[in-house]
Each structure stands twice: as C-alpha cells, then as structure tokens.
Amino acid sequence: MCRWAGSSRPNGTRGLGGTLTRVLERVTVTSYLAPLREGGSLPGLVEADNLGTYVLKFRGAGQGPLALVAEIIAGELARALGLRTPELALADLDPRIAASEPDEEIQDLLRASSGLNLAVDFLPGSAGFDPLGWTVDEDFASELLWFDALTQNVDRTWRNPNLLVWHGDVWLIDHGAALYFHHDWSRAAPDKPFDARQHVVRDRATRLKQAHERLAPLITAATLERITGDVPPEWFGERGADAYIDQLLNRAPLVPEVIRL
C-alpha cells in the first residue's frame, strides 16, 4: 500500500513560489513483513500505525546512521528540485518486534535499531529501471546527473541505477551512498570532481547547462536549513547540519565544472 509518494499528497504548508514546505511524518512500526535482501544494509518491508507500508532503513545496519543522514538530505533535496522520490518518514521501532522474527540475523538488526529509523514509502508494482529498455528525456537525464554530481552520489550506475519506474514515471531511491565526504570531513571539498563515466543516464544528459541554470538557484541556505532540520541531531557524526549546508551551498555553483564525462 502506498499512501502518498512524491508530490501527490501535501504534508506541510505552501511556501514562497508555490513550493511545499514539508515536515517528515513520525510513525510507529506495527509489524515487520519481510526482509529486502538487496544490497548490504538488509532493509525491511514494514507496516506502520498510519496504515502505510514502508521500506525501513535501519539505524543499526552496517553503514550506521550516516547512511540515513544521506538518505534524508539527498532525498529531500531531490524533492525540492522537482525530482520524484518516495516520501520519507521517521519511524519508531519497538525492540519487542524482533521476538517474532525467526531469522537470527534479522533479530539482531531489529534489536540494534530499536528507537528511531528511516522509513521510505513503498511503491507497489514498481519496476527497476533498465537503461536498455527505458529511455529518459534529455532534460530529466541532465537534471538527474546534475543532482548526483551535487550530492556526490556514486551509486547511480548502469549496473545499479537506484531508479524505479512507477506509473510511467522514473523515481529516485537509495541515497545512502551520497554525501560520502561525511565519512571523512578532511576530504570534503566543494570542487571535488565527479566521475560520471558510469552514470546510468550519462549519454542522455546533453542539457547540463540548462539543468544548472534551473537547479543551482534552488540550492539556498533556507532550503538546506529546512532539509537538514529533518535529520535527528543524534544521527550526525563528526559535524552537524551547518557543515552540510556550507558544503552544498559552495558546491552548487561549481557543478558543471566538476562533472567528468
């Protein structure tokens, strides 16, 4: 069941310019349905007290809470730029739910993740994006590549697109590998090159100049303050929200220069 995804259900108030000011919903996990054994983090399909079905990203998974920080900042930034991405929510997980799970590995993960985690709205019937069978237009491809270069998302390759096709539209998912500089802030540099040679839509991204002209002005301090404000403060690592804001504000004007095709 998908209650809402992308921009089809308001969850906040209208701001300047007709944009939607959102606040992440807070839900409580009521049941664990199944593991999604793709990738190393072992996310799970869960139901919540608002009757929604979500993909739960666990705070206690191997990548730790920084992966969830990246999911929120990159995911909500994509939404602010007009790119489709499933709704996010903060989800409380009761450790007692682990007792009903027979798999010991999943039991351990559920117990290690008791408390607050990240829930991603489940898109029923969606299909993985196949670059050989699905063509995107040049404007979307250019904006997607620009966005990934801004957030330094290295996990959008033709081998692993992290895109879903749902109701004929392409949706962005799985941003835990973005903002990788936060694992070592000494290497954070706004002008760090972005290798786009393996990017899934590289060949279609022929309008990067136009994408930059549209998207760069949308990267404002106010937008980034709102987005980073959705991150639970205890999830930040070595540095807090201000460091992410500075990094993205300083990188946005440089995006065309850092992309390596």
Side-chain angles (χ1 to χ4, degrees):
M1 174 181 178
C2 180
R3 300 167 299 99
W4 175 70
S7 58
S8 60
R9 190 195 76 153
N11 186 19
T13 56
R14 289 283 173 183
L16 296 176
T19 58
L20 191 65
T21 302
R22 302 176 64 257
V23 176
L24 292 192
E25 188 174 1
R26 184 85 173 244
V27 302
T28 298
V29 176
T30 55
S31 62
Y32 178 88
L33 302 178
L36 299 176
R37 296 185 181 275
E38 296 181 7
S41 61
L42 199 64
L45 196 64
V46 302
E47 287 182 341
D49 59 348
N50 62 352
L51 305 182
T53 303
Y54 294 92
V55 175
L56 195 65
K57 303 292 185 83
F58 294 104
R59 192 186 72 259
Q63 295 90 337
L66 283 181
L68 306 188
V69 172
E71 291 276 9
I72 293 176
I73 294 178
E76 291 304 305
L77 186 54
R79 194 186 321 282
L81 296 179
L83 299 167
R84 293 181 179 87
T85 189
E87 180 190 8
L88 303 179
L90 297 174
D92 284 301
L93 178 64
D94 190 322
R96 291 175 294 182
I97 289 178
S100 61
E101 172 54 47
D103 187 303
E104 289 187 8
E105 179 186 9
I106 295 173
Q107 278 189 20
D108 292 343
L109 180 59
L110 293 172
R111 292 193 179 100
S113 304
S114 64
L116 210 55
N117 296 272
L118 184 66
V120 182
D121 204 16
F122 178 59
L123 305 183
S126 59
F129 177 86
D130 182 354
L132 298 179
W134 187 272
T135 301
V136 296
D137 66 58
E138 290 88 348
D139 286 323
F140 171 77
S142 301
E143 291 181 3
L144 177 59
L145 179 52
W146 189 95
F147 164 74
D148 283 336
L150 171 68
T151 59
Q152 295 175 259
N153 181 18
V154 296
D155 202 13
R156 188 104 60 200
T157 67
W158 62 270
R159 294 184 182 88
N160 188 33
N162 282 321
L163 298 171
L164 294 177
V165 179
W166 193 57
H167 294 299
D169 294 315
V170 179
W171 294 71
L172 284 60
I173 62 167
D174 291 350
H175 295 105
L179 310 177
Y180 64 83
F181 54 81
H182 62 184
H183 296 285
D184 181 0
W185 280 97
S186 68
R187 301 175 62 188
D191 60 351
K192 193 171 185 66
F194 180 75
D195 186 352
R197 289 175 296 176
Q198 299 298 316
H199 196 277
V200 64
V201 297
R202 184 200 68 171
D203 292 343
R204 300 288 293 172
T206 59
R207 295 176 58 81
L208 287 169
K209 178 181 178 181
Q210 292 84 349
H212 180 69
E213 290 172 351
R214 188 184 85 79
L215 299 179
L218 301 180
I219 308 300
T220 65
T223 295
L224 294 171
E225 287 168 5
R226 171 181 61 80
I227 290 171
T228 55
D230 283 330
V231 179
E234 63 273 19
W235 287 3
F236 286 115
E238 177 185 342
R239 300 189 187 181
D242 288 349
Y244 291 84
I245 294 171
D246 290 344
Q247 170 76 9
L248 292 167
L249 280 178
N250 291 329
R251 187 170 176 81
L254 306 177
V255 169
E257 303 169 26
V258 302
I259 295 175
R260 301 291 186 263
L261 297 170

